[in-house]
């Protein structure tokens, strides 16, 4: 940048940036703007490149912070951008590359400046900077319009109204990113912001009518996963003879100011490919999640959340109730397919959770699908690779399963879907298994991982709740799934015995020494007994409701019958052990009558015959096991930091210094 600049380190010395940030006012009609905005370089694609850009331009930005109250140059730049956006739709239709290119550059500069302004000052001070104008005679207007609100409305219009073409792709991404930056003041506060100026603008006034259209557009951006145009489709290539109209015009306007360069390189070397295949889809989803998790205003609920919880399928012709504001329709099939395909990312799983939990229309639609394996398998894969995932992603995946298992139809149907060759499941070759049995295997594996590694009671509880919800509908359990259920009980039993022994030894030690503080083994024992009770209830629920469908579980029970003897007389388990003891005793007797040296096939045959003979009235009925996911009070205390951590880690073209962030703790790159 500058007359011969090709290195990022030259940016602070660039004469046009110095003029923008200096002490001289620049009128919005000055030819300077055409010169300033005629630059072209590959967009930064990594946090390293973005960090270099920020470090090189921070002095320019801070200079503008200091001088803008006298010059009003920030407002002039924004007015230049606003005037250009009025012709942007027509420019797209007419393929006016130059106009769109310069408008994009104006927004890129605004976004870079806003990031610094938002970090450097309070929202009230930022709002003041939008009101400053040139202090020369005849140019100051005390009743100027609210430029900040106008810019936000303009960004919403740009996102929703400008057709997505190769030449408009980058400005669409930049518009979404700038809205994310507008809301980024949350990053610099430890507490969740419940009132802010940006919230006020977005939730009332001129921005409010765009609510449903913006949410719908962001969702469709996620659904379509539009990839960025190929190099050269939107940047102005240099013609070999330097005589092409496009290059001649661009270079004539720019006069060699901001020449083509790469961050960290020299010349016209292509920038590194972005980490995500669709920057627009990625940024749109992040913005959507930010908007959905804004706290309610004191006098009005969050309109973006209202839009997300109430939208309907395009095939639903029923009228919207008048009580539902910001309603719209979207193609549920397309949304479902996109959600199935994108579950490798935290933000897609968080969107799935949000929709399943809050939008009854989409939940009903998904549970009625006959291809639920396309959604469930990616969720199971997240849980299976728990070692490689962050804890929040695992929690979201698990809660999605818990919400799904609240539905009896889902719990029945997953045992009817047969799968072949699950390549990512490496503990055992599964040539054929039902989706239900695979779900049980993965959840049990997650419990066992948690027992040995993280020891998180919340994760335990939700895993067991999902199994409990399914237990009455267990059908034709795979022999390996049945074995793992009993193996988990065996692991719990050993842990119980170990803790019991430690508690006994501790009690003996306390009699000989009164000075040493003792571990609270009673609490550990109580927790492990709660989990054992839950596992016994799950096994009992299956035996009581679907014994005839699960010979493999009976086989596994008989094979490990000794495990259950110690719990028959335990006061915490006596009642729930009655049915399990009855089943073990009944089938053990029939096997004894059949003789010794029985093959596996013969044992299963005897079990299937015995199921018919076992009087059902001898099995004691217990209340149905049903657990419903309930969001904790003040969920924003979890979700807002989580969403912003996703923005920090996933946003394309945005970088924040981890040392500046207050909302959560991040390691430096």
């Amino acid at each position: 940048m500058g007359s011969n600049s090709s290195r990022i380190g030259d940016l602070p010395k660039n004469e046009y940036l110095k003029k923008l940030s200096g002490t001289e006012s620049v009128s919005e009609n000055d030819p300077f703007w055409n010169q300033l905005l005629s630059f072209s370089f590959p967009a930064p694609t990594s946090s390293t490149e973005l960090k270099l850009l920020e470090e090189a331009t921070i002095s320019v930005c801070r200079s503008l912070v200091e001088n803008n109250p006298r010059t009003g140059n920030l407002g002039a730049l924004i007015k230049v951008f606003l005037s250009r956006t009025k012709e942007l739709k027509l420019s797209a239709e007419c393929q006016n590359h130059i106009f769109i290119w310069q408008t994009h550059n104006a927004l890129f500069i605004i976004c870079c400046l806003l990031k610094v302004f938002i970090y450097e000052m309070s929202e009230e001070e930022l709002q003041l900077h939008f009101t400053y104008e040139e202090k020369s005679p005849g140019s100051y207007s005390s009743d100027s319009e609210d430029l900040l609100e106008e810019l936000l409305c303009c960004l919403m219009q740009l996102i929703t109204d400008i057709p997505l073409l190769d030449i408009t792709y980058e400005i669409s991404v930049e518009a979404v990113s700038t809205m994310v930056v507008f809301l980024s003041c949350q990053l610099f506060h430890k507490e969740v912001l419940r009132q802010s100026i940006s919230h006020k603008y977005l939730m009332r006034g001129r921005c409010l009518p765009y609510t449903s259209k913006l949410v719908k557009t962001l969702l469709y951006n996620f659904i379509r996963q539009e990839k960025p145009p190929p190099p050269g489709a939107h940047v102005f290539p240099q013609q070999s003879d330097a005589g092409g109209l496009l290059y001649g015009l661009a270079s004539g306007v720019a006069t060699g100011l901001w020449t083509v360069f790469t961050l960290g390189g020299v010349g016209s070397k292509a920038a590194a490919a972005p980490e995500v295949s669709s920057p627009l889809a990625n940024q749109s989803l992040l913005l959507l999640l930010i908007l959905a998790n804004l706290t309610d205003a004191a006098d009005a609920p969050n309109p973006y959340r209202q839009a997300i919880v109430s939208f309907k399928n395009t095939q639903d012709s029923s009228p919207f109730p008048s009580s539902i504001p910001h309603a719209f329709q979207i193609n549920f099939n397309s949304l479902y397919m996109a959600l199935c395909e994108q579950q490798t990312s935290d933000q897609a799983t968080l969107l799935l959770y949000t929709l399943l939990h809050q939008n009854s229309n989409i939940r009903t639609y998904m549970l009625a699908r006959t291809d639920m394996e396309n959604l469930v398998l990616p969720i199971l894969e997240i849980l299976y690779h728990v070692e490689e995932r962050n804890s929040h992603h695992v929690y979201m995946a698990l809660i999605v399963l818990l919400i799904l298992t609240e539905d009896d139809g889902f719990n029945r149907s997953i045992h009817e879907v047969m799968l072949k060759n699950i390549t990512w499941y490496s503990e055992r070759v599964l040539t054929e298994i039902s989706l239900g049995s695979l779900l049980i295997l993965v959840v049990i594996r997650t419990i066992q991982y948690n027992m040995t590694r993280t020891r998180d009671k919340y994760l335990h509880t939700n895993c067991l709740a999902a199994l409990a919800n399914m237990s009455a509908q267990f059908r034709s359990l795979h022999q390996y799934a049945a074995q793992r259920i009993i193996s988990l009980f065996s692991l719990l039993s050993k842990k119980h015995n170990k803790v019991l022994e430690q508690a006994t030894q501790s009690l003996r030690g306390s009699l000989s020494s009164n000075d040493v503080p003792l571990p609270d083994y009673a609490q550990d024992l109580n927790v492990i007994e709660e989990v054992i009770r839950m596992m016994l209830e799950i096994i009992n629920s299956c035996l009581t409701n679907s014994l005839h469908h699960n010979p493999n579980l009976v086989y596994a029970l008989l094979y490990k019958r000794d495990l259950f003897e110690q719990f028959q007389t335990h006061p915490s388990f006596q009642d729930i052990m009655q049915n399990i003891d009855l089943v073990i005793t009944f089938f053990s007797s029939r096997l004894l009558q059949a003789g010794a040296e029985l093959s596996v096939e013969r044992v299963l045959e005897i079990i299937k015959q015995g199921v018919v003979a076992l009087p059902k009235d001898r099995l004691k009925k217990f209340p149905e096991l049903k657990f419903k996911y309930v969001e904790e009070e003040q969920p924003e205390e979890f979700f807002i930091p989580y969403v912003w951590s996703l923005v920090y880690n996933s946003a394309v073209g945005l970088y924040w210094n981890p040392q500046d962030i207050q909302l959560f703790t991040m390691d430096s790159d």
Side-chain angles (χ1 to χ4, degrees):
M1 297 176 186
S3 58
N4 294 300
S5 296
S6 61
R7 293 185 299 108
I8 200 167
D10 293 334
L11 289 178
K13 295 176 284 187
N14 179 273
E15 59 179 296
Y16 290 91
L17 288 178
K18 288 171 72 175
K19 183 172 181 178
L20 172 67
S21 61
T23 57
E24 178 186 345
S25 295
V26 184
S27 165
E28 60 196 87
N29 300 315
D30 197 301
F32 161 82
W33 299 110
N34 278 339
Q35 297 169 334
L36 174 71
L37 302 179
S38 295
F39 66 89
S40 177
F41 61 87
T45 58
S46 71
S47 60
T48 302
E49 293 175 346
L50 288 159
K51 186 177 180 182
L52 286 172
L53 178 62
E54 179 147 317
E55 289 172 350
T57 56
I58 190 70
S59 62
V60 173
C61 295
R62 285 177 174 164
S63 177
L64 183 61
V65 169
E66 181 181 347
N67 294 319
N68 186 62
R70 291 182 297 277
T71 66
N73 284 348
L74 175 65
L77 171 62
I78 290 170
K79 288 176 182 177
V80 168
F81 169 72
L82 292 174
S83 67
R84 285 173 169 272
T85 56
K86 294 171 184 174
E87 302 175 40
L88 201 55
K89 193 171 184 179
L90 180 61
S91 298
E93 294 169 358
C94 299
Q95 296 285 303
N96 189 336
H97 291 246
I98 296 289
F99 189 88
I100 294 171
W101 167 49
Q102 291 185 332
T103 309
H104 164 268
N105 289 346
L107 184 55
F108 176 79
I109 296 173
I110 290 169
C111 188
C112 291
L113 293 172
L114 279 174
K115 273 183 80 269
V116 177
F117 273 63
I118 288 170
Y119 169 67
E120 293 278 338
M121 63 190 68
S122 68
E123 280 196 301
E124 291 74 18
E125 290 175 296
L126 176 66
Q127 193 175 29
L128 275 177
H129 272 275
F130 275 78
T131 65
Y132 296 138
E133 295 188 358
E134 181 185 355
K135 301 298 190 295
S136 58
S139 65
Y140 177 75
S141 173
S142 59
D143 59 346
S144 59
E145 72 282 1
D146 193 327
L147 203 57
L148 178 53
E149 183 177 34
E150 190 174 353
L151 178 58
L152 272 173
C153 287
C154 178
L155 291 173
M156 296 173 87
Q157 287 176 313
L158 198 159
I159 294 167
T160 58
D161 294 346
I162 301 302
L164 189 59
L165 309 169
D166 280 356
I167 59 173
T168 61
Y169 189 93
E170 284 195 356
I171 195 170
S172 296
V173 174
E174 202 63 49
V176 176
S177 297
T178 306
M179 284 202 67
V180 171
V181 167
F182 256 119
L183 293 159
S184 65
C185 54
Q186 175 65 80
L187 283 172
F188 312 114
H189 292 79
K190 288 183 179 180
E191 300 79 21
V192 168
L193 293 179
R194 300 184 183 278
Q195 290 183 334
S196 75
I197 293 170
S198 54
H199 292 191
K200 181 188 74 173
Y201 283 126
L202 287 168
M203 292 192 185
R204 54 174 65 86
R206 294 168 58 190
C207 292
L208 191 61
Y210 295 99
T211 297
S212 58
K213 198 172 182 181
L214 178 62
V215 171
K216 183 176 182 178
T217 302
L218 295 174
L219 275 172
Y220 269 125
N221 286 347
F222 166 71
I223 289 168
R224 290 167 180 149
Q225 293 290 316
E226 291 282 357
K227 293 179 172 56
H234 55 296
V235 177
F236 308 99
Q238 297 187 14
Q239 304 290 330
S240 59
D241 60 357
L245 173 63
L246 203 57
Y247 174 66
L249 180 58
S251 62
V253 172
T255 60
L257 303 180
W258 292 32
T259 54
V260 177
F261 73 100
T262 56
L263 298 176
V266 178
S268 57
K269 180 182 175 183
E275 295 179 4
V276 293
S277 61
S278 175
L280 180 61
N282 183 73
Q283 301 295 83
S284 295
L285 179 52
L286 292 172
L287 176 58
L288 182 66
L289 292 171
I290 293 169
L291 293 171
N293 287 283
L294 293 177
T295 55
D296 294 336
D299 55 349
N302 178 347
Y304 303 95
R305 189 182 301 123
Q306 286 182 315
I308 287 170
V309 304
S310 62
F311 69 82
K312 297 195 306 184
N313 196 351
T314 48
Q315 296 180 347
D316 187 347
S317 58
S318 61
F320 282 104
S322 57
S323 60
I324 298 180
H326 316 298
F328 64 92
Q329 291 178 290
I330 205 166
N331 188 307
F332 276 15
N333 181 63
S334 299
L335 178 57
Y336 177 79
M337 298 305 292
L339 287 166
C340 292
E341 292 167 4
Q342 300 299 323
Q343 285 307 304
T344 52
S345 76
D346 284 64
Q347 49 266 41
T349 305
L350 181 54
L351 176 64
L352 174 60
Y353 157 79
T354 302
L355 295 177
L356 276 175
H357 178 51
Q358 299 185 7
N359 189 316
S360 60
N361 299 321
I362 195 76
R363 182 169 62 251
T364 301
Y365 173 84
M366 287 185 178
L367 289 169
R369 295 280 303 204
T370 57
D371 60 348
M372 278 296 287
E373 67 272 17
N374 291 333
L375 185 66
V376 175
L377 281 172
I379 296 297
L380 294 183
E381 199 168 350
I382 293 168
L383 294 175
Y384 185 79
H385 296 294
V386 59
E387 303 95 335
E388 303 165 16
R389 303 289 181 183
N390 70 69
S391 59
H392 290 155
H393 198 183
V394 172
Y395 285 147
M396 286 298 103
L398 188 55
I399 293 170
V400 164
L401 282 186
L402 180 56
I403 292 171
L404 293 173
T405 61
E406 292 171 12
D407 183 77
D408 286 339
F410 171 83
N411 295 330
R412 283 191 297 270
S413 66
I414 55 175
H415 293 287
E416 298 167 2
V417 178
M418 299 307 297
L419 308 168
K420 294 182 183 294
N421 301 317
I422 307 302
T423 55
W424 48 262
Y425 194 95
S426 58
E427 272 86 348
R428 178 167 172 156
V429 177
L430 300 174
T431 53
E432 187 173 61
I433 189 171
S434 72
L435 179 60
S437 289
L438 180 64
L439 197 160
I440 292 167
L441 284 175
V442 172
V443 171
I444 286 176
R445 184 180 183 275
T446 306
I447 294 173
Q448 291 179 323
Y449 174 84
N450 186 51
M451 285 177 66
T452 57
R453 304 284 183 86
T454 55
R455 300 182 182 181
D456 186 320
K457 185 180 179 182
Y458 179 81
L459 192 140
H460 251 37
T461 302
N462 283 285
C463 283
L464 291 168
L467 288 176
N469 284 346
M470 294 187 290
S471 59
Q473 309 292 339
F474 284 172
R475 295 287 187 278
S476 304
L477 289 183
H478 191 280
Q479 62 180 19
Y480 185 51
Q483 289 171 17
R484 298 310 295 164
I485 290 172
I486 305 304
S487 294
L488 175 58
F489 185 80
S490 174
L491 185 65
L492 291 167
S493 175
K494 290 176 183 176
K495 191 170 182 64
H496 178 267
N497 292 340
K498 182 179 178 181
V499 174
L500 190 60
E501 183 181 347
Q502 289 173 331
T504 304
Q505 291 177 352
S506 175
L507 187 61
R508 288 172 184 161
S510 68
L511 298 175
S512 58
S513 174
N514 296 322
D515 300 328
V516 181
L518 299 173
D520 189 359
Y521 288 113
Q523 184 178 355
D524 291 346
L525 200 60
N526 184 54
V527 170
I528 195 71
E529 287 184 356
E530 283 180 11
V531 177
I532 288 174
R533 169 84 189 188
M534 190 79 157
M535 279 302 300
L536 289 172
E537 288 180 344
I538 289 167
I539 294 169
N540 178 72
S541 174
C542 177
L543 297 178
T544 307
N545 293 284
S546 53
L547 178 66
H548 55 296
H549 288 299
N550 292 291
N552 283 329
L553 182 62
V554 176
Y555 183 98
L557 270 174
L558 295 173
Y559 191 76
K560 292 283 189 179
R561 72 190 81 175
D562 295 346
L563 275 176
F564 298 88
E565 290 179 359
Q566 63 175 305
F567 298 107
Q568 289 173 2
T569 56
H570 194 292
S572 298
F573 311 122
Q574 271 184 318
D575 59 336
I576 205 73
M577 278 297 302
Q578 289 180 30
N579 288 340
I580 296 172
D581 185 42
L582 173 64
V583 169
I584 290 174
T585 303
F586 177 82
F587 285 99
S588 295
S589 173
R590 294 183 74 90
L591 291 177
L592 195 62
Q593 293 172 18
E597 303 298 325
L598 299 174
S599 67
V600 173
E601 291 75 15
R602 178 59 183 149
V603 172
L604 285 171
E605 184 182 343
I606 292 170
I607 290 172
K608 290 174 184 176
Q609 292 168 352
V611 166
V612 179
L614 178 65
K616 302 296 184 292
D617 57 358
R618 291 180 61 188
L619 293 174
K620 182 181 177 182
K621 290 290 183 184
F622 285 85
E624 184 182 12
L625 289 179
K626 271 298 173 189
F627 293 88
K628 188 175 178 64
Y629 169 69
V630 179
E631 204 168 63
E632 295 182 11
E633 290 185 16
Q634 295 187 318
E636 64 274 8
E637 297 292 341
F638 167 79
F639 285 105
I640 290 177
Y642 179 33
V643 169
W644 278 105
S645 71
L646 297 182
V647 174
Y648 175 89
N649 287 304
S650 311
V652 178
L654 292 176
Y655 169 82
W656 289 274
N657 188 331
Q659 296 176 347
D660 297 334
I661 292 173
Q662 299 293 317
L663 183 61
F664 49 83
T665 303
M666 293 299 301
D667 294 329
S668 299
D669 291 340

